[in-house]
Amino acid sequence: MTVFVATLFLPKTIHFNLPGARPRGASSSQKPASKPKKAASPETQPSLFQPAHSHITPPQTPTEDRKHNDPWVNEDGLKVQIPQMPFSPDGSYRAPIDRSSPTWGGRADQPMSRANSPPPSSLLNSSRALHQKARELGRQGITQPRSLVRSESHDRVFAHADWQVVPSDQGNGGLRNAAEAAAREGKLGEYTYVGTLGMPTDALIGTQQLQDIEDRMATEHDMLSVICSDKDFDSHYSHFCKQILWPVFHYQIPDNPKSKAYEDHSWKYYVRVNQAFADKIVKNWKKGDVVWVHDYHLLLVPGMVRKKIPEAKIGFFLHVAFPSSEVFRCLAVRKELLEGMLGANLIGFQIKEYARHFLQTCSRILSVEATPDGLQLEDRFVDVVSLPIGIDPVSLSRHREEAEVKRWLDIMRERYAGKKLIVARDKLDHVRGVRQKLLSYEMFLNMNPEWRDKVVLIQVALSTSEKSELDATVSDIVTRVNSSWANLAYQPVVYLKQDIDYPQYLALLQIADSLMITSQREGMNLTSHEYLFCQDGKFSEKKHGALILSEFTGTSSLFNGNELSVNPWDYRACADAIKKALEMGDEEKERRWKKLYDAVNVHTGSHWFSEFLLRLDKVYEEQHSRDQISVPRLSMTTLLQQYKRTERRLFILDFEGTLVSWGPVNQIIPVSPQRTLDVLNDLLLDERNTIYVMSGRRPEELDRIFRRVPNLGLIAESGCYLKDCGSNDWTEMADRTKIQSWKDSLQDIMTYYLERTPGASIEERRCSLVFHYKSADDYATAATQASDLASHINDACEEQRVHAIPMDGCVLVEPIDWTKSTAAQKILEDLQNRMGPDEKHESAVDFLMVIGDGRDDEKVFKWANQLSTEGTIKEVLTVSLGNRSTEAKATLTQGVSGVLTALQKLSQVV
């Protein structure tokens, strides 16, 4: 069995050894073999556009190594810079889990992209200045150089250059670490990554070079390469994922012309890339293999694989947050995305809140029944779980012992002697809350002058591909704070707009007095996990530092209030949290840290990886056993044998769709179903038989229908009323006061949707309400209104123990505490009290047969099967008439006629 781990970027990528370039990770002092001619650099010529500003702030200081750096220059005058990479001596990649990724197609040791992205919107703001500058350059006789784009010579270089496989600096670091940890601990067998190479590949299409790369990645590294055109990938990743999905999943609805254009233009490319992943998986899948798809880049893959391989075992995990239905429904392709995810057998989220949002969204948009365990589709069930990812403590401990980490610890210990350090490391985007953090720190210094000159905030800001006003705003705040309170010996904010290498990162976590995270939305912030693990005092005198954590991160739900939880938008509360973190006593710090440390060690990456796969195996077996094709037909021979060898028999039979073929519950029955009544009377002639008929109809309706069948037990309104065999009185199972209470509270909600759905009606029963819309004037609009109604009730009335179930042409609103299964349990208990074990019988009931066709009968099937498993009843038979997945252990394909025929044969047994 192989586990296919599908993620957008493979853990490894390709480095091309270009002529004259030093190897990746090599010292910059190494000279190239041959020095090329010096070419005129386009950067030195007059240009129509402003030169690109460096991502480094402050500018890089020249070092002694700089003079030896002789970048290779190709014939187009394009400089090829070879970046340094943080590799361990053993060749493994070392970096923080939440690291910054270089722009796709922007690496000089990889091909350039052929995709043509639209120009930045900022160009439109300075069009007049551009025209003036162009005219001035024209008068000077200066022609513009060719744009910095790829060329045929560029392609030829990469098509024939030597290359090597190296760890990638892109992709999901948490997933990578978790897989390695699970494999190291023996919890994971064979697994193969499926993903892209993390670089443009158009320059290599049709060459032997690309085929060799794919072959080596597959054979030596167990990684299947998904090859997409540069245009497809760029539109998928840079446009749809980053401009549409990422903001929406983090509660920032993209609502501007540029975003709408991105969505309309790039959706087809998102589909293409997802289809490429699905095709690669399908091509390599063998029976018994597991497919595990990761994150929002590949939401459609589960459904695409399911379409080609219906029996596949598929899991999906979303690493980022999942928004509420009100936000998600703003996406134009909301339905397609949800249906793609529902191709999986098991869908995982970081915390329960995100799982609940997903269930509510599916219920509202797709009109499917949501349960606490998952979603009931028409033909199968999809399980939904929350399972937080974690870090790899073993790997982290090993890296902390490296000499380079200790060297940086000594440097920082000397540099910040006598100072309290608040550290932070975030991507510089609107989601991470860097602006809010700096404003809160500024307020803290304003409110607490005694802490000036005693505390330093070190903010590492990871650059992103998108330039925005946030960049300038943050820089302005940093300048303002430093200009207010800095002096020759003190700087209140150290702001690095660049990432730091891994040893510096680990040293920073160990020397810190507090870590401050103010994300506005985040799936699981693993930086906080790494910080807590590094605060054990093993290598630093500073230990048990406080954690200031946004309440809007998934991590916050794991720590049970032992962190200092803050609302990033409440600057005063954040400032107070900083003060509390700095002034907290050692005893309280240690007490909080121990509890946080324990939580980090419980929710490790290895545990997350192995636990998800175990749950996937379990739910797949359960779902497969309920598949219609897996459930055997009812065997009359076996049924007759079971019937003959038992003495105390209990039948629980559904009415509509099982004993009769009539329509909706709200339709009045004019005539008694004669054949059904005759079969029931024949079966009751045997005193050893006890029969109950269950229905969603009112008690008085059932009395009228079955008045000519004495000794028949009845269950009305789906379990809220019970009438014992031979009795004339009904027992009210439900609490009438509670029923009336939630009915009153729902009155306005139901009326609101009724007024907006012409042709719909509300049927009030004693214990339930039904919103009928099958006869609505506009069925499509009515179905949408009904879906919204169900979601509204399920969201607003959870505490009142009531739920709404979307059904065919109606929405049933009923109590959670009184169902057909609770009524069945009450019947069994009464029989056990009246007919306990005696000399001839070991139990009150030794034969139980449940027959039904509806979704509400599944709970009774499950209850009966559990009795069989526990050995409470000797012979248990559950039979379903539906074509959907079922808990029943047998099916009848002849419908009502088949049920009556089977019961008739039993009645003829002597």
Side-chain angles (χ1 to χ4, degrees):
M1 181 197 80
T2 299
V3 178
F4 290 101
V5 181
T7 180
L8 185 63
F9 295 110
L10 292 174
K12 293 184 182 294
T13 187
I14 305 302
H15 163 63
F16 290 88
N17 301 316
L18 302 177
R22 52 188 168 83
R24 185 184 287 200
S27 171
S28 59
S29 61
Q30 293 177 331
K31 294 184 178 181
S34 61
K35 188 173 181 180
K37 287 184 177 182
K38 185 175 181 181
S41 170
E43 294 178 359
T44 63
Q45 301 180 25
S47 174
L48 181 63
F49 303 104
Q50 294 293 326
H53 296 290
S54 171
H55 287 268
I56 311 296
T57 303
Q60 286 183 320
T61 303
T63 63
E64 197 170 334
D65 286 340
R66 186 69 58 86
K67 62 185 179 182
H68 300 293
N69 187 9
D70 191 7
W72 177 76
V73 183
N74 69 16
E75 63 187 54
D76 297 309
L78 303 182
K79 299 169 68 174
V80 182
Q81 302 286 354
I82 309 300
Q84 292 280 3
M85 292 299 296
F87 297 130
S88 295
D90 60 1
S92 64
Y93 183 69
R94 303 179 305 164
I97 291 175
D98 185 16
R99 59 192 180 279
S100 62
S101 297
T103 303
W104 179 83
R107 297 198 65 95
D109 56 358
Q110 293 176 341
M112 296 177 67
S113 171
R114 290 183 178 179
N116 294 319
S117 297
S121 56
S122 58
L123 289 181
L124 301 177
N125 301 330
S126 55
S127 58
R128 182 177 301 176
L130 291 176
H131 287 304
Q132 292 176 352
K133 189 170 183 179
R135 285 195 298 270
E136 178 63 28
L137 291 174
R139 284 194 295 268
Q140 297 177 17
I142 298 175
T143 58
Q144 290 298 301
R146 286 182 295 171
S147 60
L148 301 181
V149 296
R150 51 167 301 284
S151 65
E152 290 185 7
S153 62
H154 179 276
D155 289 0
R156 287 198 301 271
V157 168
F158 285 100
H160 298 92
D162 293 334
W163 53 273
Q164 58 183 327
V165 179
V166 298
S168 175
D169 53 1
Q170 299 181 94
N172 192 324
L175 169 62
R176 180 187 312 182
N177 293 346
E180 291 176 354
R184 183 185 63 238
E185 297 174 10
K187 298 179 180 179
L188 177 62
E190 292 186 12
Y191 69 103
T192 298
Y193 279 102
V194 181
T196 66
L197 293 169
M199 68 177 191
T201 55
D202 277 7
L204 303 175
I205 294 296
T207 66
Q208 185 62 38
Q209 187 90 294
L210 183 59
Q211 186 61 51
D212 293 344
I213 290 172
E214 290 189 69
D215 291 344
R216 186 183 298 180
M217 292 291 283
T219 57
E220 297 183 12
H221 302 281
D222 293 323
M223 297 181 185
L224 300 178
S225 305
V226 178
I227 307 300
C228 308
S229 72
D230 294 353
K231 183 176 182 59
D232 285 357
F233 187 89
D234 184 63
S235 297
H236 162 278
Y237 181 63
S238 302
H239 299 178
F240 196 81
C241 289
K242 291 303 181 183
Q243 302 294 334
I244 303 300
L245 291 184
W246 173 266
V248 169
F249 277 68
H250 292 83
Y251 287 80
Q252 297 185 353
I253 302 173
D255 189 23
N256 56 70
K258 182 180 177 182
S259 298
K260 298 303 181 187
Y262 273 142
E263 186 170 13
D264 295 341
H265 164 77
S266 56
W267 165 245
K268 63 180 179 181
Y269 299 106
Y270 184 84
V271 175
R272 284 184 191 174
V273 171
N274 276 254
Q275 189 64 61
F277 270 80
D279 292 344
K280 179 66 72 170
I281 293 170
V282 170
K283 182 179 179 181
N284 292 272
W285 181 89
K286 302 294 182 185
K287 189 169 184 178
D289 289 345
V290 177
V291 179
W292 189 3
V293 185
H294 290 268
D295 229 359
Y296 65 100
H297 314 97
L298 306 174
L299 296 176
L300 303 179
V301 172
M304 291 173 169
V305 174
R306 176 73 60 200
K307 187 176 181 180
K308 295 289 184 67
I309 315 175
E311 70 275 20
K313 185 188 299 183
I314 306 173
F316 177 84
F317 191 87
L318 186 69
H319 290 262
V320 299
F322 192 91
S324 69
S325 60
E326 286 296 331
V327 176
F328 190 88
R329 70 196 297 233
C330 295
L331 287 168
V333 289
R334 57 196 182 184
K335 188 174 181 180
E336 291 85 346
L337 294 174
L338 292 176
E339 290 174 343
M341 295 174 69
L342 291 176
N345 299 98
L346 177 66
I347 301 176
F349 297 90
Q350 298 283 14
I351 59 174
K352 291 182 179 179
E353 178 186 347
Y354 304 154
R356 186 175 69 251
H357 286 168
F358 175 73
L359 293 172
Q360 292 171 343
T361 301
C362 288
S363 174
R364 185 172 190 176
I365 295 176
L366 302 180
S367 298
V368 296
E369 180 185 353
T371 73
D373 297 324
L375 293 159
Q376 182 61 63
L377 308 184
E378 183 61 31
D379 58 342
R380 61 192 184 90
F381 190 84
V382 177
D383 285 79
V384 177
V385 298
S386 59
L387 193 63
I389 195 174
I391 62 173
D392 179 8
V394 176
S395 175
L396 192 57
S397 295
R398 186 175 67 251
H399 289 307
R400 288 175 62 196
E401 296 174 356
E402 295 176 1
E404 185 69 5
V405 177
K406 296 177 182 178
R407 185 177 77 84
W408 274 104
L409 265 173
D410 293 336
I411 293 174
M412 297 182 69
R413 190 180 289 116
E414 179 182 355
R415 171 68 178 83
Y416 297 106
K419 299 288 192 295
K420 293 280 190 179
L421 294 183
I422 302 172
V423 302
R425 181 179 172 278
D426 311 274
K427 289 182 180 178
L428 190 57
D429 58 30
H430 290 280
V431 173
R432 305 296 178 168
V434 176
R435 172 179 169 274
Q436 285 79 3
K437 182 187 307 174
L438 290 169
L439 290 174
S440 300
Y441 181 67
E442 182 181 27
M443 178 175 286
F444 163 75
L445 293 176
N446 275 322
M447 294 169 55
N448 302 278
E450 70 276 10
W451 275 104
R452 299 169 192 168
D453 200 39
K454 296 179 181 178
V455 61
V456 176
L457 170 63
I458 301 178
Q459 174 67 63
V460 179
L462 283 60
S463 61
T464 59
S465 57
E466 282 288 315
K467 286 290 182 182
S468 65
E469 295 179 1
L470 178 64
D471 193 344
T473 301
V474 169
S475 297
D476 289 345
I477 298 172
V478 172
T479 302
R480 185 172 68 237
V481 174
N482 283 337
S483 62
S484 298
W485 296 296
N487 53 48
L488 292 176
Y490 171 67
Q491 184 176 338
V493 179
V494 176
Y495 179 55
L496 298 175
K497 201 169 68 176
Q498 64 188 73
D499 204 358
I500 55 179
D501 62 28
Y502 200 41
Q504 291 183 62
Y505 172 72
L506 293 181
L508 192 64
L509 295 183
Q510 294 178 89
I511 201 71
D513 293 280
S514 178
L515 175 72
M516 189 170 186
I517 297 167
T518 53
S519 303
Q520 297 175 8
R521 290 285 171 182
E522 191 168 2
M524 189 61 58
N525 186 288
L526 295 182
T527 300
S528 61
H529 291 228
E530 293 175 324
Y531 166 74
L532 292 168
F533 189 82
C534 290
Q535 283 289 307
D536 56 2
K538 186 175 180 181
F539 300 102
S540 173
E541 66 282 357
K542 291 187 177 182
K543 59 181 180 179
H544 306 157
L547 172 63
I548 304 172
L549 182 65
S550 167
E551 65 186 63
F552 298 106
T553 63
T555 316
S556 181
S557 66
L558 302 181
F559 291 159
N560 298 320
N562 292 298
E563 80 285 10
L564 297 178
S565 182
V566 295
N567 178 350
W569 286 276
D570 189 344
Y571 301 146
R572 183 175 294 275
C574 291
D576 292 341
I578 295 174
K579 180 179 175 64
K580 184 173 182 179
L582 298 176
E583 298 178 354
M584 188 182 296
D586 292 342
E587 184 178 341
E588 182 181 357
K589 285 200 298 184
E590 182 176 4
R591 174 177 56 80
R592 286 175 176 267
W593 175 83
K594 282 184 176 179
K595 293 180 179 179
L596 294 169
Y597 182 80
D598 290 342
V600 169
N601 278 315
V602 168
H603 300 287
T604 63
S606 173
H607 169 76
W608 167 80
F609 201 99
S610 57
E611 181 66 18
F612 187 93
L613 291 178
L614 286 174
R615 293 197 188 189
L616 178 56
D617 289 340
K618 181 180 178 181
V619 302
Y620 179 78
E621 293 301 324
E622 292 176 353
Q623 294 170 11
H624 188 66
S625 67
R626 296 195 294 260
D627 284 347
Q628 188 70 15
I629 59 174
S630 301
V631 180
R633 292 187 180 89
L634 177 64
S635 170
M636 282 305 303
T637 302
T638 304
L639 174 60
L640 289 170
Q641 291 173 352
Q642 292 174 312
Y643 186 82
K644 289 177 181 179
R645 61 174 176 253
T646 53
E647 296 289 329
R648 292 180 168 180
R649 311 180 189 109
L650 173 62
F651 294 83
I652 300 179
L653 312 174
D654 182 46
F655 183 49
E656 298 86 5
T658 302
L659 294 177
V660 292
S661 301
W662 292 330
V665 176
N666 62 317
Q667 294 183 5
I668 298 175
I669 300 174
V671 187
S672 298
Q674 192 57 49
R675 186 188 176 193
T676 300
L677 301 182
D678 291 341
V679 170
L680 292 176
N681 277 316
D682 291 343
L683 203 56
L684 285 170
L685 291 176
D686 191 332
E687 295 181 353
R688 295 171 295 182
N689 295 338
T690 301
I691 304 176
Y692 279 82
V693 174
M694 52 186 180
S695 170
R697 298 182 184 274
R698 299 184 184 93
E700 56 269 23
E701 290 183 83
L702 296 183
D703 277 337
R704 185 171 65 252
I705 295 170
F706 295 105
R707 63 183 183 277
R708 290 188 292 168
V709 185
N711 297 322
L712 178 69
L714 298 173
I715 301 172
E717 294 214 19
S718 299
C720 288
Y721 289 87
L722 179 62
K723 182 179 180 181
D724 288 332
C725 299
S727 173
N728 293 323
D729 300 322
W730 286 89
T731 302
E732 189 172 359
M733 306 289 291
D735 186 324
R736 184 174 297 181
T737 303
K738 291 183 179 180
I739 295 292
Q740 193 58 48
S741 175
W742 66 254
K743 277 187 176 181
D744 291 341
S745 64
L746 287 181
Q747 188 65 42
D748 291 341
I749 298 176
M750 300 282 282
T751 303
Y752 174 87
Y753 286 95
L754 179 65
E755 292 173 349
R756 285 155 180 78
T757 314
S761 62
I762 297 176
E763 177 193 359
E764 182 173 357
R765 306 176 192 165
R766 286 189 175 88
C767 295
S768 59
L769 295 171
V770 185
F771 181 85
H772 295 283
Y773 63 90
K774 204 159 193 175
S775 301
D777 298 347
D778 185 343
Y779 185 82
T781 302
T784 302
Q785 292 289 340
S787 179
D788 289 346
L789 169 63
S791 299
H792 192 159
I793 293 174
N794 289 331
D795 292 347
C797 303
E798 186 177 0
E799 293 183 356
Q800 294 178 290
R801 305 291 297 167
V802 61
H803 66 163
I805 305 174
M807 302 177 75
D808 183 23
C810 68
V811 175
L812 173 64
V813 185
E814 63 179 10
I816 297 174
D817 296 324
W818 300 285
T819 63
K820 290 181 177 180
S821 61
T822 60
Q825 178 63 29
K826 173 67 171 155
I827 291 168
L828 180 61
E829 290 173 356
D830 290 344
L831 289 174
Q832 289 172 336
N833 292 333
R834 293 202 311 263
M835 305 163 53
D838 54 29
E839 297 178 357
K840 294 183 179 180
H841 307 96
E842 296 180 358
S843 61
V845 176
D846 54 12
F847 175 92
L848 172 62
M849 186 174 191
V850 181
I851 309 178
D853 72 309
R855 183 56 58 195
D856 53 347
D857 300 323
E858 295 296 323
K859 294 180 180 178
V860 191
F861 295 151
K862 191 172 184 178
W863 164 79
N865 293 335
Q866 186 64 31
L867 294 176
S868 176
T869 303
E870 296 171 353
T872 305
I873 298 179
K874 183 179 178 181
E875 304 287 354
V876 175
L877 192 59
T878 50
V879 184
S880 171
L881 275 66
N883 294 320
R884 57 174 66 90
S885 62
T886 179
E887 294 278 357
K889 299 301 182 183
T891 61
L892 259 176
T893 56
Q894 296 85 10
V896 173
S897 176
V899 173
L900 296 179
T901 301
L903 295 178
Q904 188 69 54
K905 289 182 179 180
L906 293 180
S907 68
Q908 295 169 357
V909 174
V910 179

